[in-house]
Amino acid sequence: MVMIGFTLAVLVVIAHPDDETLFSGFLHALTHKLNASVDLVCITNGEGGFQHSAPSESLYGSLQLSNETIARQHLPRIRKQELLGSGKILGIRKYFFYDQIDLKYDRDVENVLSKQWNKELIIQLLEQTITTGNGQQGYNLMLVMLPSVQSHGHHTASGLLALETIKRLRDKQLDEMKLPIVIGGSEFVLSDRPIYSLNSLAETSAEFRFYRKWKLSSSSEISDYQMIVLWVCGEHKSQGGLIAETLTLLARDNEQYFYFTLNNNTQKFRMINTLFKQLTDMHDYDSGNML
Ligand SMILES: *[C@@H]1O[C@H](CO)[C@@H](O)[C@H](O)[C@H]1NC(C)=O
Ligand SMILES: *[C@@H]1O[C@H](CO)[C@@H](O)[C@H](O)[C@H]1NC(C)=O
Ligand SMILES: *[C@@H]1O[C@H](CO)[C@@H](O)[C@H](O)[C@H]1NC(C)=O
């Protein structure tokens, strides 16, 4: 198998326990096909997800999870467990829970950063995770949620804070090659390259795709990465509505990843290009390119 030459260390930054489902094909392939180490930062504690929780009450000691007060006490624990279940399928190695309050849905990122989260604390934690989470080697790649004005403000804010952290680490003159390459995964199906005019850190220059229709292996007749998507969604039972949404409104044949111009490094661009080409090639079983 052609490899990019070393074991990839990847850091994924999501806002809520379940956002990782959006990237499940790519993450599964990274760990299962490329032996990558994938660690995950989850910024909020997910306590705001109570609207979706009613159908799962009987699974969780008949706690009345549709009641906001009760749910806010119990969902942080329940949703962490669900994320660990999903992460087991995806092969996640380490988790960093930042436990910011998941107050409510708000598309306005400024509101999220001023009224809900502690922005400076998150950047400080991200700096720490990026520089020490994988020991001396650091991370090669960081996957964040692509900022979008249509998105949940928490999603966009998590991506922007991760980008801001990279910018600050660079300003501190950290060794450029120790900084991870940053790409953004889109939660929506996009036909054009995304434009997020509110923050220039979010500017992108190239798109890469991971196809969920790819089969997991040449010998399997039916199983493709859509099966992995179903598996991980099924782990988040307290988020019943999410499962329906991921399989309907957000259903898609491919996952779209965008390269941020912030990376500003030819060698890094070549690495990402090679990575996605390898993933494409190794799933092209017909051409005899088997594992
Ligand atoms: C997989 O990666 C680990 C380090 O994360 C390494 O120790 C191991 O040798 C690798 N295995 C293969 C088959 O490359
Ligand atoms: C929710 O639970 C709290 C705490 O048990 C209780 O005081 C409140 O009345 C409940 N609210 C509803 C709408 O049932
Ligand atoms: C990219 O890096 C070059 C120098 O390496 C610098 O002159 C340029 O301003 C940078 N561009 C961006 C968008 O950061």
Side-chain angles (χ1 to χ4, degrees):
M1 166 177 34
V2 199
M3 290 290 298
I4 50 170
F6 54 91
T7 309
L8 262 186
V10 182
L11 184 66
V12 186
V13 180
I14 57 173
H16 312 103
D18 74 21
D19 294 332
E20 83 291 351
T21 57
L22 297 167
F23 313 134
S24 38
F26 180 50
L27 295 179
H28 190 274
L30 282 175
T31 55
H32 288 71
K33 301 280 190 209
L34 295 179
N35 190 35
S37 314
V38 177
D39 296 347
L40 181 138
V41 166
C42 183
I43 293 185
T44 75
N45 63 12
E47 66 175 61
F50 54 89
Q51 303 91 334
H52 307 296
S53 301
S56 69
E57 288 175 350
S58 66
L59 295 170
Y60 293 116
S62 293
L63 289 163
Q64 203 195 335
L65 295 176
S66 50
N67 173 311
E68 177 168 353
T69 313
I70 297 172
R72 286 192 185 276
Q73 286 167 21
H74 293 279
L75 278 183
R77 167 179 55 82
I78 289 171
R79 297 194 66 187
K80 271 188 190 118
Q81 292 305 320
E82 292 178 342
L83 178 56
L84 296 180
S86 165
K88 186 174 176 200
I89 294 164
L90 297 177
I92 307 287
R93 178 180 65 169
K94 276 200 270 185
Y95 299 83
F96 300 91
F97 292 105
Y98 292 178
D99 282 324
Q100 294 294 295
I101 184 166
D102 179 16
L103 187 64
K104 60 173 183 191
Y105 184 96
D106 189 337
R107 280 198 193 169
D108 186 334
V109 173
E110 289 313 315
N111 273 345
V112 173
L113 295 180
S114 61
K115 303 199 179 110
Q116 300 196 27
W117 297 359
N118 182 339
K119 174 181 170 182
E120 287 306 319
L121 173 69
I122 295 171
I123 290 179
Q124 202 184 318
L125 290 170
L126 280 167
E127 281 198 16
Q128 198 176 20
T129 305
I130 291 167
T131 53
T132 67
N134 190 41
Q136 296 279 310
Q137 295 84 30
Y139 292 99
N140 310 108
L141 176 64
M142 183 160 77
L143 168 59
V144 308
M145 306 194 75
L146 183 75
S148 161
V149 289
Q150 292 169 274
S151 259
H152 192 320
H154 293 174
H155 294 178
T156 294
S158 71
L160 292 176
L161 291 183
L163 290 163
E164 171 80 23
T165 308
I166 293 295
K167 179 172 169 288
R168 291 199 197 178
L169 285 170
R170 181 171 295 152
D171 291 347
K172 287 184 183 174
Q173 313 242 297
L174 200 81
D175 177 4
E176 174 68 23
M177 288 318 286
K178 284 208 165 165
L179 288 176
I181 306 165
V182 197
I183 58 173
S186 177
E187 87 183 73
F188 305 108
V189 176
L190 301 179
S191 47
D192 297 308
R193 199 141 46 69
I195 294 178
Y196 185 79
S197 53
L198 301 175
N199 191 325
S200 60
L201 292 175
E203 187 184 286
T204 62
S205 62
E207 178 185 343
F208 299 97
R209 290 188 178 190
F210 184 93
Y211 286 87
R212 290 179 169 178
K213 294 256 164 132
W214 281 337
K215 291 197 297 179
L216 289 164
S217 85
S218 59
S219 60
S220 103
E221 286 300 321
I222 48 171
S223 300
D224 58 18
Y225 284 89
Q226 298 285 12
M227 181 192 78
I228 303 296
V229 178
L230 293 173
W231 278 4
V232 295
C233 287
E235 291 294 321
H236 295 280
K237 294 190 178 61
S238 76
Q239 301 303 298
L242 162 95
I243 299 169
E245 195 183 51
T246 307
L247 303 178
T248 52
L249 188 67
L250 299 177
R252 57 195 311 163
D253 287 346
N254 61 64
E255 295 170 12
Q256 294 170 284
Y257 298 98
F258 295 88
Y259 182 84
F260 290 106
T261 50
L262 172 87
N263 292 301
N264 193 22
N265 182 303
T266 321
Q267 200 181 336
K268 288 181 167 182
F269 181 77
R270 261 191 255 121
M271 271 178 59
I272 285 300
N273 213 24
T274 306
L275 173 67
F276 278 93
K277 179 158 186 344
Q278 274 183 0
L279 288 171
T280 306
D281 289 348
M282 66 176 41
H283 290 92
D284 181 9
Y285 305 110
D286 293 340
S287 68
N289 204 345
M290 282 177 225
L291 290 175

